[in-house]
Structure formats: C-alpha cells, structure tokens
Amino acid sequence: MKKKQVLVACGAGIATSTVVNGAIEDMIKENDIKADLVQIKISEVGSYEDTADMLVTTAMTKKEYPFPVINARSFLTGIGTDATKQEILEELKK
C-alpha cells in the first residue's frame, strides 16, 4: 500500500493544525497506517495538489481540490471529534 500524504492545514499555519496533526499521528500509529503528515497554511495547499492524498483542515475553504477535504473544526470545539476521526480513518484506509 502506497504511503499517503496527508496535508494538515489551518488558516494561519501552526496552532490549530498542531492539535489535529497530533490526533492523526495517534490514529495512524494505532491503526498501523503508513502516512506522511505535512503541516501547512491553507494558502499553501495549491503547491501540493499533485502529491497529496487528502487535506484535513480547520480553515474554511471553498476551493476545489483533486483530493478529499475533511473539515476538522470539531477538534477545536470538541464536538463531533469522533465522527471526524472516523471520516479521516476511512479515507486513510482507501
């Protein structure tokens, strides 16, 4: 199975994506999934369009990308986090 490249992005770049990044790291370890996590600003996503398999973001984005985009704002509110994790996991297992 090819190692997946997962973009983790927030509006400004560091604070919120670090929380999401940590949660995804735990999930890939627990489920023995091979993935590279790349923490970026939402404005940098375009330069990964050819290589990324998925975008997990706490920022609002209306742009269309050639890969699935998962809204991770539940990590900030604490509401619906399990559903978001499940969505990320299902995408990683594809």
Side-chain angles (χ1 to χ4, degrees):
M1 192 186 200
K2 173 183 157 318
K3 201 174 202 183
K4 294 203 181 271
Q5 184 182 62
V6 181
L7 304 179
V8 183
C10 64
I14 294 300
T16 58
S17 59
T18 302
V19 174
V20 177
N21 206 51
I24 299 173
E25 267 178 3
D26 292 344
M27 283 194 311
I28 60 180
K29 280 187 195 125
E30 286 163 18
N31 294 278
D32 203 30
I33 292 167
K34 292 184 176 14
D36 283 324
L37 304 185
V38 186
Q39 251 181 288
I40 57 170
K41 294 186 186 86
I42 194 74
S43 59
E44 297 169 328
V45 174
S47 56
Y48 291 89
E49 281 194 6
D50 296 337
T51 57
D53 296 294
M54 174 165 70
L55 167 63
V56 181
T57 182
T58 55
M60 291 298 290
T61 178
K62 293 204 173 10
K63 197 170 179 310
E64 291 291 314
Y65 294 106
F67 40 75
V69 177
I70 295 177
N71 180 324
R73 275 181 305 161
S74 65
F75 286 98
L76 307 184
T77 62
I79 300 161
T81 312
D82 288 344
T84 305
K85 284 183 177 176
Q86 193 57 43
E87 195 182 346
I88 294 167
L89 198 54
E90 281 168 18
E91 204 52 59
L92 284 170
K93 287 181 173 175
K94 284 183 180 169

